[in-house]
Amino acid sequence: MRFFQPLYYIKRVKDHYLKKEEILDRISRYDKPHISTDFKDYHSYISNTDWKDNHSWFNYCFSEKDRVSYFEFIFKKFKKDIEIDKSWFNQYYKWSGSDHPFHKHDCGHLANIYYVELENKSLRTILKHPKTGKEIVPRVNEGDLLIFPGDILHKSPRNYTDTRKTAIAFNSLFI
């Protein structure tokens, strides 16, 4: 994808506190807990994820108002319509050392991360600037949605904190 300014956007999910417990309850009932170890660094892993199963988390996690607001936001910024490609959850359990090493989403025009749980700011996603290689830490909070080009390298740092991080991730394609 072509580089754009700014490098990322942060959008508040208005109905976050109405949906948070429902989202966490659904994740806790996920019937195929999966510890992902599909990365080159065998010490890296996500504590719990369903990224291979491609559940429709976007429609489940966002209220109708937040879905419409997201589509309007993207159209306002890019003058293009989008469709949601894939969506999944990632959890990083407390004290687990779980992480997600630098990677990118070649199949998505936009990568999106919704922070369902993010008590500890040290667990914020890190982006790598595509021209300088400098690591950038967007100032996201729980209940925020981080939006950036899918081909930007990004990672979730290791969780050695006493809190869990839960994120819903999804790719958006311009149409």
Side-chain angles (χ1 to χ4, degrees), residues 68-83:
V68 168
S69 176
Y70 172 75
F71 286 110
E72 289 173 348
F73 178 84
I74 297 301
F75 188 81
K76 180 181 174 185
K77 297 297 180 190
F78 299 100
K79 307 296 184 237
K80 295 180 180 180
D81 287 321
I82 54 151
E83 63 183 17

Side-chain angles (χ1 to χ4, degrees), residues 41-79:
D41 176 359
Y42 66 91
H43 295 291
S44 299
Y45 66 95
I46 299 168
S47 301
N48 190 16
T49 183
D50 74 336
W51 71 272
K52 288 184 177 181
D53 294 338
N54 193 24
H55 290 282
S56 182
W57 288 98
F58 178 80
N59 289 328
Y60 184 80
C61 294
F62 297 101
S63 67
E64 177 68 21
K65 178 174 61 176
D66 279 321
R67 289 192 303 269
V68 168
S69 176
Y70 172 75
F71 286 110
E72 289 173 348
F73 178 84
I74 297 301
F75 188 81
K76 180 181 174 185
K77 297 297 180 190
F78 299 100
K79 307 296 184 237

Side-chain angles (χ1 to χ4, degrees), residues 17-32:
Y17 290 105
L18 296 174
K19 298 286 287 179
K20 177 182 174 179
E21 292 307 317
E22 184 180 337
I23 294 165
L24 294 174
D25 181 60
R26 183 174 182 192
I27 289 171
S28 74
R29 290 183 284 111
Y30 181 61
D31 64 351
K32 293 187 278 186

